[in-house]
Every structure is written in structure tokens, then in C-alpha cells.
Amino acid sequence: MVHSGPMPNPPRRRPVDRMPESAFQLLVEGVVDYAIFMLDPDGHVASWNSGAERIKGYRADDILGRHFSTFYPPEDIAAGKPDRELEIAIAEGRLEDEGWRLRKDGSRFWANVVITALFDATGDLRGFGKVTRDMTERRRAEQALLERRRLVHHLVEAQELERRRIAWDVHDDSIQSMVAVGMRLQLLADRVPEEHVATVTRLDQAVRSAVERLRMLVFRLRPPEIDRNGLVAALEEYLGDVAPMWDLAHAVRDELEREPPVDTAITIFRICQEALTNVHKHARATAVEITLSTVDRGTLVVIADDGIGISLTRDHQAGLEHFGMIEMRERAETAGGWWTLGIRPEGGTAVRFWLPTTSDTA
Amino acid sequence: MTRVLICDDDIMIGEALHDVLTAESDLAVVAIAHTASDAIDLAERHLPDIVVLDVRMPGGGGIRVARELRDRCPTTRVVAFSAYADPATVAEMRRAGVTEYLVKGVPNTDIVATVRRLARGPFGKL
Ligand SMILES: Nc1ncnc2c1ncn2[C@@H]1O[C@H](COP(=O)(O)OP(=O)(O)O)[C@@H](O)[C@H]1O
Ligand SMILES: [Mg+2]
């Protein structure tokens, strides 16, 4: 750091009496979160503290004088790991390792270990300082997170596959059959007695609008083309298709600092689709805007409309019977994020949700 | 009399198309094909004036049929009849020489009118 101008006065420090060595020893002995102990130059345990007793399960009497390889699982001993770690500590001054260690009762814990070689003023090796932390919980949490990512990945994949199947079924089967029915109804309308023509014509119209709705369903079930140009482009394309049909002015605001990974992007796309369907069906809005931004190592998405706003009845709050809301919330929460629906102060409704970045590079 | 070949893998659609077209006194259906290969064979055998062609069919699909027909039956004109209306598919059919495109679900009268228009020839002669 470069200082310019006069140096500030150094803060005044109260002169302290140097703590006696015994006090420092009390500190080390009292620490319970870390096993802190010494090894002699050959690797025998030469001191012990409360943390070591708590983490490893040995009392000082049990362990003093024993070789520290006692703490290693058999496969590490067979591989010569304890001695190798001491050699590295001597050569490099220090060694850090993470791995399984054994407690006195034989159970394993995941340990972070730092071994420091201690030399005296003449350069002779006096022994080693060893600090061990029990990382089992953290490792478990990390593994749970990884497992969750894997599950979410499979879930998103399975959902997309299922959607594709449903889309093909509806497209190849339901729509075709109904189109054929419609064609026959029109033929029939020319042949039935006059008094039935109106009925048959109405039937034909009903079939035709059902076909339209099924087409829209197939369109919505299509996989988003995120691979090609990214999430924002996929959303713009989708809005470009539906917004004109729905008489909606639309905009996508891209404030992303980085593209979310594909799983997350698909989930975002699907939630946006559902929210947009609601804007169309319920909001009576003239405009909708989607904003995407990178927040808290995740992606924040806001879908805001200028419609009539939403009044949450008890049913809504209980989440009964309204699958759109349930689906959006479940998708977000399954991916480890959150989802909310609220009224905008300037009028209209805003769906807001956040998904963590689930890529392994995060 | 305008002679029409129908190609659609969906049997109900094929039959409905048959009934819609044969209800017109100036239109005759020469055959109904349910696969792309059948369509090509039947077209070569009957040399129809018009083929009403589904775009998505097993065995190569309508695009293949349109291309083959352009070479093998140059006098035959093709109407695409498809549930697909996406721009890429339309463009693909255009490149295969198909100029008329009907989306499944249009009124029967549109189907009939399109077949008649195409049968009159590309230059609108009567
Ligand atoms: N953008 C919106 N504007 C106004 N009302 C909305 C909006 N989104 C949702 N709603 C209300 O919330 C209800 C629940 O939505 P949803 O769970 O998707 O079920 P559904 O769309 O099937 O009714 C809707 O019926 C509607 O009353
Ligand atoms: Mg809904």
C-alpha cells in the first residue's frame, strides 16, 4: 500500500506483560474445536489437548507415546501415508491433507490435517505440530448438495422427456383424430336435415377450437432452444411468438453477469412460461416485462405485468387447486431456490423467483 | 376430372380426406398411401394431377416424397397437408417445390379450393 501525506498516528496500545508460557499452554489445552498436539521426530504423540480428546476419543493417558499412524485407516498405513506425510512436512515445512481418520472406537471421520515440522535454532528437527479439524459435517453437507444437484438434474431431464412424449402423443394422436372428426362433421353438415345443421356446425366449431388449444399445448411443451443461443434468446423467441397472439407488449431485460447452467435455464424458462400463461389468462395486462439478473451467486427473475393485480383469497394462500402456482413454486424450491407472487405498487402483478447457480464450477 | 393421391400415415385423416374430396363431382381419389415409399410407388403408377401430402410420415417423411415426385412425376403438383406450420418446415417444403401449404384443421372448403386451384395450373389458366 502506498501512503501519501502525513502518516496517521499509530493506534496506542496498552503495554502488555508477556503472557507466561503456561498461559499459552492453557489456551491450547482448552481449545475443543481443533485437535492440537505435538509429535516427536519419530511420530509419537508427545502432547494432547481437549479438542484432540473430543475429536479422536482418546484421553491423554491412552495415547501419549503411541505412534500417530494409529489415527490412519489400514489402507493408508498399507500405502505408507503417515511416514510420507512426515517426510513432506520436513521437506516443505508444512503439509495439509484431507481424508479419513479413525477415532478410538474405530469409527471414521473426515479430517482436515495440517502437520508443521518444528526445527530449533540450530536447525535440528524437534518434532511436529499437528492440527486436526473434524470436517465430517461439512463434507456431509457438501455431498448432500452434490447429491441434490444430481437429483435436480435428473428431475429436469425426466420432466423434459415426459413433456416431449406428451407433446408427440397429443400431436400425433389427439390432434389428428380431432382433425379427422372435424372434417367428417363438416361433411355431415351438408347431408343432415336442415334442423340439425346448426348443431353439427357448433360441434365442428367446438372441435376446431379444441384443436387450437391442443396446438398451443404442444407449442408450450416444446423443449426451449436454450442450447443454441442461451436463455435470454429462448425467452425472447417465446415471447415473440405468444405476445402478439395475446396482445401484449413485451420486453426481456438481460442483466445477467453470467449465463445460468442448462438445468437452471430450463427451470427458469418453464417457470416464466407458466407465469406468462397466467398473465395472459388472468391479468388483463397490456404489457409484460421479464428481468433476469445475477444475484447472490444465482439468477433472479422477475416477471412483471401491468394488469389488474392479484387478490390472494384463502384458497390461493393455501395453494389449493391452482396448479400453476404450485408448479412454479415446486420447480423453484426443488432447485434450491425460492418463488413469490406479489402485487406491484404501480399496479399489476410480479412473479419473482431466485435459483442458485448449480454448475459445479460455481 | 382432377385425379388426387392422398398420403397420410393417419388412417382416419386419410379416409376423411378421401370423403371430403370425393364428395366433389370434379375430384377423384386414385389411392390413399400411408407411408412415404407407398406414396412414391402409387404416384408413379397413377400419375395423379395432385398429391395431398402429410409432411411427417414414417419412412423419410413428406419432404422426401416431394423431392422424389419433382423428378419422377413432373406433371404432378403437391399440396402439403400438415399439422406443422413452423417456418423451417414450410421453407423445407418450398425448397422441395411445394407451393401450397394447408395446416390440418382448416375448413374442408379450403382443402377443396386449394386442390382445384392447383389443378388449374401454375399460371392461373382456367
Ligand atoms: N399475473 C396475474 N394477474 C392476475 N391474477 C393472477 C395472475 N397470476 C395468477 N393470478 C391468479 O392466481 C390464480 C392462480 O393461478 P394458477 O395457480 O396459475 O392457476 P390457474 O391459472 O389454473 O387459475 C389464478 O386463477 C388468478 O386468479
Ligand atoms: Mg395458471
PDB file of all heavy atoms in Angstrom, chain A residues 251-273:
ATOM      1  N   ALA A 251     -41.029  -7.174 -23.151  1.00  0.00           N
ATOM      2  CA  ALA A 251     -39.600  -6.871 -23.161  1.00  0.00           C
ATOM      3  C   ALA A 251     -38.889  -7.875 -22.273  1.00  0.00           C
ATOM      4  O   ALA A 251     -39.452  -8.354 -21.288  1.00  0.00           O
ATOM      5  CB  ALA A 251     -39.356  -5.453 -22.645  1.00  0.00           C
ATOM      6  N   VAL A 252     -37.674  -8.210 -22.644  1.00  0.00           N
ATOM      7  CA  VAL A 252     -36.827  -9.036 -21.794  1.00  0.00           C
ATOM      8  C   VAL A 252     -35.614  -8.201 -21.439  1.00  0.00           C
ATOM      9  O   VAL A 252     -34.914  -7.718 -22.329  1.00  0.00           O
ATOM     10  CB  VAL A 252     -36.380 -10.333 -22.504  1.00  0.00           C
ATOM     11  CG1 VAL A 252     -35.485 -11.157 -21.586  1.00  0.00           C
ATOM     12  CG2 VAL A 252     -37.577 -11.146 -22.945  1.00  0.00           C
ATOM     13  N   ARG A 253     -35.402  -7.953 -20.146  1.00  0.00           N
ATOM     14  CA  ARG A 253     -34.225  -7.183 -19.729  1.00  0.00           C
ATOM     15  C   ARG A 253     -33.159  -8.127 -19.218  1.00  0.00           C
ATOM     16  O   ARG A 253     -33.373  -8.870 -18.279  1.00  0.00           O
ATOM     17  CB  ARG A 253     -34.599  -6.154 -18.663  1.00  0.00           C
ATOM     18  CG  ARG A 253     -35.113  -4.919 -19.337  1.00  0.00           C
ATOM     19  CD  ARG A 253     -35.311  -3.700 -18.473  1.00  0.00           C
ATOM     20  NE  ARG A 253     -34.622  -3.658 -17.208  1.00  0.00           N
ATOM     21  CZ  ARG A 253     -35.183  -3.138 -16.127  1.00  0.00           C
ATOM     22  NH1 ARG A 253     -36.416  -2.687 -16.162  1.00  0.00           N
ATOM     23  NH2 ARG A 253     -34.504  -3.081 -15.007  1.00  0.00           N
ATOM     24  N   ASP A 254     -32.036  -8.081 -19.898  1.00  0.00           N
ATOM     25  CA  ASP A 254     -30.953  -9.010 -19.601  1.00  0.00           C
ATOM     26  C   ASP A 254     -29.885  -8.310 -18.759  1.00  0.00           C
ATOM     27  O   ASP A 254     -29.118  -7.514 -19.264  1.00  0.00           O
ATOM     28  CB  ASP A 254     -30.358  -9.503 -20.929  1.00  0.00           C
ATOM     29  CG  ASP A 254     -29.156 -10.408 -20.703  1.00  0.00           C
ATOM     30  OD1 ASP A 254     -28.880 -10.763 -19.540  1.00  0.00           O
ATOM     31  OD2 ASP A 254     -28.510 -10.763 -21.698  1.00  0.00           O
ATOM     32  N   GLU A 255     -29.891  -8.581 -17.453  1.00  0.00           N
ATOM     33  CA  GLU A 255     -28.847  -8.026 -16.582  1.00  0.00           C
ATOM     34  C   GLU A 255     -27.999  -9.148 -16.009  1.00  0.00           C
ATOM     35  O   GLU A 255     -27.454  -9.049 -14.907  1.00  0.00           O
ATOM     36  CB  GLU A 255     -29.505  -7.208 -15.456  1.00  0.00           C
ATOM     37  CG  GLU A 255     -30.185  -5.950 -15.989  1.00  0.00           C
ATOM     38  CD  GLU A 255     -31.153  -5.326 -14.981  1.00  0.00           C
ATOM     39  OE1 GLU A 255     -31.138  -5.731 -13.799  1.00  0.00           O
ATOM     40  OE2 GLU A 255     -31.921  -4.440 -15.387  1.00  0.00           O
ATOM     41  N   LEU A 256     -27.931 -10.240 -16.760  1.00  0.00           N
ATOM     42  CA  LEU A 256     -27.162 -11.389 -16.292  1.00  0.00           C
ATOM     43  C   LEU A 256     -25.674 -11.114 -16.418  1.00  0.00           C
ATOM     44  O   LEU A 256     -25.216 -10.612 -17.446  1.00  0.00           O
ATOM     45  CB  LEU A 256     -27.499 -12.632 -17.123  1.00  0.00           C
ATOM     46  CG  LEU A 256     -28.871 -13.261 -16.901  1.00  0.00           C
ATOM     47  CD1 LEU A 256     -29.084 -14.379 -17.902  1.00  0.00           C
ATOM     48  CD2 LEU A 256     -28.981 -13.790 -15.485  1.00  0.00           C
ATOM     49  N   GLU A 257     -24.948 -11.456 -15.373  1.00  0.00           N
ATOM     50  CA  GLU A 257     -23.489 -11.374 -15.484  1.00  0.00           C
ATOM     51  C   GLU A 257     -22.930 -12.668 -16.043  1.00  0.00           C
ATOM     52  O   GLU A 257     -21.875 -12.692 -16.643  1.00  0.00           O
ATOM     53  CB  GLU A 257     -22.877 -11.087 -14.111  1.00  0.00           C
ATOM     54  CG  GLU A 257     -22.945  -9.614 -13.757  1.00  0.00           C
ATOM     55  CD  GLU A 257     -22.959  -9.410 -12.253  1.00  0.00           C
ATOM     56  OE1 GLU A 257     -22.325 -10.215 -11.546  1.00  0.00           O
ATOM     57  OE2 GLU A 257     -23.608  -8.452 -11.798  1.00  0.00           O
ATOM     58  N   ARG A 258     -23.657 -13.749 -15.787  1.00  0.00           N
ATOM     59  CA  ARG A 258     -23.268 -14.980 -16.458  1.00  0.00           C
ATOM     60  C   ARG A 258     -24.482 -15.853 -16.709  1.00  0.00           C
ATOM     61  O   ARG A 258     -25.468 -15.799 -15.991  1.00  0.00           O
ATOM     62  CB  ARG A 258     -22.203 -15.729 -15.662  1.00  0.00           C
ATOM     63  CG  ARG A 258     -22.658 -16.374 -14.400  1.00  0.00           C
ATOM     64  CD  ARG A 258     -21.460 -16.908 -13.645  1.00  0.00           C
ATOM     65  NE  ARG A 258     -21.277 -16.198 -12.396  1.00  0.00           N
ATOM     66  CZ  ARG A 258     -21.977 -16.479 -11.293  1.00  0.00           C
ATOM     67  NH1 ARG A 258     -22.882 -17.405 -11.319  1.00  0.00           N
ATOM     68  NH2 ARG A 258     -21.775 -15.812 -10.183  1.00  0.00           N
ATOM     69  N   GLU A 259     -24.377 -16.618 -17.792  1.00  0.00           N
ATOM     70  CA  GLU A 259     -25.452 -17.495 -18.230  1.00  0.00           C
ATOM     71  C   GLU A 259     -25.621 -18.622 -17.201  1.00  0.00           C
ATOM     72  O   GLU A 259     -24.650 -19.273 -16.831  1.00  0.00           O
ATOM     73  CB  GLU A 259     -25.055 -18.066 -19.594  1.00  0.00           C
ATOM     74  CG  GLU A 259     -26.011 -19.057 -20.206  1.00  0.00           C
ATOM     75  CD  GLU A 259     -27.238 -18.411 -20.835  1.00  0.00           C
ATOM     76  OE1 GLU A 259     -27.249 -17.179 -21.017  1.00  0.00           O
ATOM     77  OE2 GLU A 259     -28.184 -19.158 -21.127  1.00  0.00           O
ATOM     78  N   PRO A 260     -26.834 -18.841 -16.719  1.00  0.00           N
ATOM     79  CA  PRO A 260     -27.007 -19.968 -15.794  1.00  0.00           C
ATOM     80  C   PRO A 260     -26.789 -21.297 -16.519  1.00  0.00           C
ATOM     81  O   PRO A 260     -26.972 -21.364 -17.729  1.00  0.00           O
ATOM     82  CB  PRO A 260     -28.458 -19.831 -15.331  1.00  0.00           C
ATOM     83  CG  PRO A 260     -29.116 -18.913 -16.282  1.00  0.00           C
ATOM     84  CD  PRO A 260     -28.062 -18.095 -16.943  1.00  0.00           C
ATOM     85  N   PRO A 261     -26.389 -22.343 -15.786  1.00  0.00           N
ATOM     86  CA  PRO A 261     -26.208 -23.649 -16.423  1.00  0.00           C
ATOM     87  C   PRO A 261     -27.536 -24.161 -16.993  1.00  0.00           C
ATOM     88  O   PRO A 261     -28.600 -23.704 -16.585  1.00  0.00           O
ATOM     89  CB  PRO A 261     -25.725 -24.550 -15.285  1.00  0.00           C
ATOM     90  CG  PRO A 261     -25.944 -23.793 -14.033  1.00  0.00           C
ATOM     91  CD  PRO A 261     -26.062 -22.360 -14.368  1.00  0.00           C
ATOM     92  N   VAL A 262     -27.438 -25.105 -17.929  1.00  0.00           N
ATOM     93  CA  VAL A 262     -28.618 -25.504 -18.711  1.00  0.00           C
ATOM     94  C   VAL A 262     -29.807 -25.952 -17.855  1.00  0.00           C
ATOM     95  O   VAL A 262     -30.933 -25.519 -18.077  1.00  0.00           O
ATOM     96  CB  VAL A 262     -28.253 -26.596 -19.732  1.00  0.00           C
ATOM     97  CG1 VAL A 262     -29.489 -27.191 -20.357  1.00  0.00           C
ATOM     98  CG2 VAL A 262     -27.389 -25.998 -20.823  1.00  0.00           C
ATOM     99  N   ASP A 263     -29.549 -26.797 -16.850  1.00  0.00           N
ATOM    100  CA  ASP A 263     -30.657 -27.240 -15.975  1.00  0.00           C
ATOM    101  C   ASP A 263     -31.417 -26.054 -15.415  1.00  0.00           C
ATOM    102  O   ASP A 263     -32.637 -26.009 -15.447  1.00  0.00           O
ATOM    103  CB  ASP A 263     -30.106 -27.936 -14.713  1.00  0.00           C
ATOM    104  CG  ASP A 263     -29.627 -29.316 -15.013  1.00  0.00           C
ATOM    105  OD1 ASP A 263     -29.716 -29.721 -16.181  1.00  0.00           O
ATOM    106  OD2 ASP A 263     -29.168 -29.967 -14.074  1.00  0.00           O
ATOM    107  N   THR A 264     -30.648 -25.128 -14.853  1.00  0.00           N
ATOM    108  CA  THR A 264     -31.252 -23.953 -14.235  1.00  0.00           C
ATOM    109  C   THR A 264     -32.006 -23.148 -15.281  1.00  0.00           C
ATOM    110  O   THR A 264     -33.114 -22.677 -15.035  1.00  0.00           O
ATOM    111  CB  THR A 264     -30.160 -23.080 -13.591  1.00  0.00           C
ATOM    112  OG1 THR A 264     -29.283 -23.938 -12.862  1.00  0.00           O
ATOM    113  CG2 THR A 264     -30.743 -22.059 -12.668  1.00  0.00           C
ATOM    114  N   ALA A 265     -31.392 -23.015 -16.454  1.00  0.00           N
ATOM    115  CA  ALA A 265     -32.021 -22.227 -17.514  1.00  0.00           C
ATOM    116  C   ALA A 265     -33.353 -22.843 -17.931  1.00  0.00           C
ATOM    117  O   ALA A 265     -34.338 -22.129 -18.140  1.00  0.00           O
ATOM    118  CB  ALA A 265     -31.082 -22.107 -18.710  1.00  0.00           C
ATOM    119  N   ILE A 266     -33.390 -24.172 -18.022  1.00  0.00           N
ATOM    120  CA  ILE A 266     -34.648 -24.835 -18.401  1.00  0.00           C
ATOM    121  C   ILE A 266     -35.707 -24.574 -17.333  1.00  0.00           C
ATOM    122  O   ILE A 266     -36.854 -24.238 -17.636  1.00  0.00           O
ATOM    123  CB  ILE A 266     -34.432 -26.353 -18.593  1.00  0.00           C
ATOM    124  CG1 ILE A 266     -33.615 -26.591 -19.864  1.00  0.00           C
ATOM    125  CG2 ILE A 266     -35.773 -27.079 -18.678  1.00  0.00           C
ATOM    126  CD1 ILE A 266     -33.245 -28.035 -20.095  1.00  0.00           C
ATOM    127  N   THR A 267     -35.308 -24.697 -16.064  1.00  0.00           N
ATOM    128  CA  THR A 267     -36.258 -24.438 -14.980  1.00  0.00           C
ATOM    129  C   THR A 267     -36.762 -23.000 -15.047  1.00  0.00           C
ATOM    130  O   THR A 267     -37.966 -22.747 -14.928  1.00  0.00           O
ATOM    131  CB  THR A 267     -35.592 -24.720 -13.618  1.00  0.00           C
ATOM    132  OG1 THR A 267     -35.137 -26.072 -13.616  1.00  0.00           O
ATOM    133  CG2 THR A 267     -36.570 -24.534 -12.480  1.00  0.00           C
ATOM    134  N   ILE A 268     -35.856 -22.052 -15.274  1.00  0.00           N
ATOM    135  CA  ILE A 268     -36.263 -20.647 -15.390  1.00  0.00           C
ATOM    136  C   ILE A 268     -37.247 -20.486 -16.543  1.00  0.00           C
ATOM    137  O   ILE A 268     -38.296 -19.855 -16.406  1.00  0.00           O
ATOM    138  CB  ILE A 268     -35.027 -19.745 -15.604  1.00  0.00           C
ATOM    139  CG1 ILE A 268     -34.190 -19.698 -14.324  1.00  0.00           C
ATOM    140  CG2 ILE A 268     -35.452 -18.340 -16.020  1.00  0.00           C
ATOM    141  CD1 ILE A 268     -32.855 -19.003 -14.489  1.00  0.00           C
ATOM    142  N   PHE A 269     -36.916 -21.081 -17.664  1.00  0.00           N
ATOM    143  CA  PHE A 269     -37.782 -20.968 -18.842  1.00  0.00           C
ATOM    144  C   PHE A 269     -39.174 -21.498 -18.534  1.00  0.00           C
ATOM    145  O   PHE A 269     -40.184 -20.856 -18.836  1.00  0.00           O
ATOM    146  CB  PHE A 269     -37.170 -21.741 -20.012  1.00  0.00           C
ATOM    147  CG  PHE A 269     -37.923 -21.579 -21.301  1.00  0.00           C
ATOM    148  CD1 PHE A 269     -37.601 -20.566 -22.184  1.00  0.00           C
ATOM    149  CD2 PHE A 269     -38.961 -22.443 -21.618  1.00  0.00           C
ATOM    150  CE1 PHE A 269     -38.301 -20.412 -23.368  1.00  0.00           C
ATOM    151  CE2 PHE A 269     -39.670 -22.295 -22.804  1.00  0.00           C
ATOM    152  CZ  PHE A 269     -39.339 -21.284 -23.680  1.00  0.00           C
ATOM    153  N   ARG A 270     -39.240 -22.656 -17.901  1.00  0.00           N
ATOM    154  CA  ARG A 270     -40.549 -23.269 -17.626  1.00  0.00           C
ATOM    155  C   ARG A 270     -41.365 -22.432 -16.653  1.00  0.00           C
ATOM    156  O   ARG A 270     -42.580 -22.300 -16.796  1.00  0.00           O
ATOM    157  CB  ARG A 270     -40.358 -24.688 -17.090  1.00  0.00           C
ATOM    158  CG  ARG A 270     -39.808 -25.686 -18.106  1.00  0.00           C
ATOM    159  CD  ARG A 270     -40.668 -25.781 -19.318  1.00  0.00           C
ATOM    160  NE  ARG A 270     -40.277 -26.844 -20.240  1.00  0.00           N
ATOM    161  CZ  ARG A 270     -40.683 -26.918 -21.502  1.00  0.00           C
ATOM    162  NH1 ARG A 270     -41.484 -25.988 -21.997  1.00  0.00           N
ATOM    163  NH2 ARG A 270     -40.297 -27.903 -22.277  1.00  0.00           N
ATOM    164  N   ILE A 271     -40.701 -21.873 -15.636  1.00  0.00           N
ATOM    165  CA  ILE A 271     -41.441 -21.034 -14.685  1.00  0.00           C
ATOM    166  C   ILE A 271     -41.953 -19.780 -15.386  1.00  0.00           C
ATOM    167  O   ILE A 271     -43.101 -19.372 -15.200  1.00  0.00           O
ATOM    168  CB  ILE A 271     -40.567 -20.682 -13.456  1.00  0.00           C
ATOM    169  CG1 ILE A 271     -40.222 -21.957 -12.670  1.00  0.00           C
ATOM    170  CG2 ILE A 271     -41.292 -19.696 -12.544  1.00  0.00           C
ATOM    171  CD1 ILE A 271     -39.292 -21.728 -11.486  1.00  0.00           C
ATOM    172  N   CYS A 272     -41.102 -19.185 -16.242  1.00  0.00           N
ATOM    173  CA  CYS A 272     -41.529 -17.991 -16.987  1.00  0.00           C
ATOM    174  C   CYS A 272     -42.746 -18.310 -17.859  1.00  0.00           C
ATOM    175  O   CYS A 272     -43.694 -17.535 -17.929  1.00  0.00           O
ATOM    176  CB  CYS A 272     -40.396 -17.466 -17.876  1.00  0.00           C
ATOM    177  SG  CYS A 272     -39.105 -16.639 -16.947  1.00  0.00           S
ATOM    178  N   GLN A 273     -42.704 -19.472 -18.508  1.00  0.00           N
ATOM    179  CA  GLN A 273     -43.823 -19.877 -19.357  1.00  0.00           C
ATOM    180  C   GLN A 273     -45.122 -19.905 -18.573  1.00  0.00           C
ATOM    181  O   GLN A 273     -46.150 -19.397 -19.023  1.00  0.00           O
ATOM    182  CB  GLN A 273     -43.545 -21.295 -19.866  1.00  0.00           C
ATOM    183  CG  GLN A 273     -43.246 -21.375 -21.321  1.00  0.00           C
ATOM    184  CD  GLN A 273     -43.077 -22.822 -21.741  1.00  0.00           C
ATOM    185  OE1 GLN A 273     -42.621 -23.673 -20.982  1.00  0.00           O
ATOM    186  NE2 GLN A 273     -43.441 -23.103 -22.952  1.00  0.00           N
TER     187      GLN A 273
END
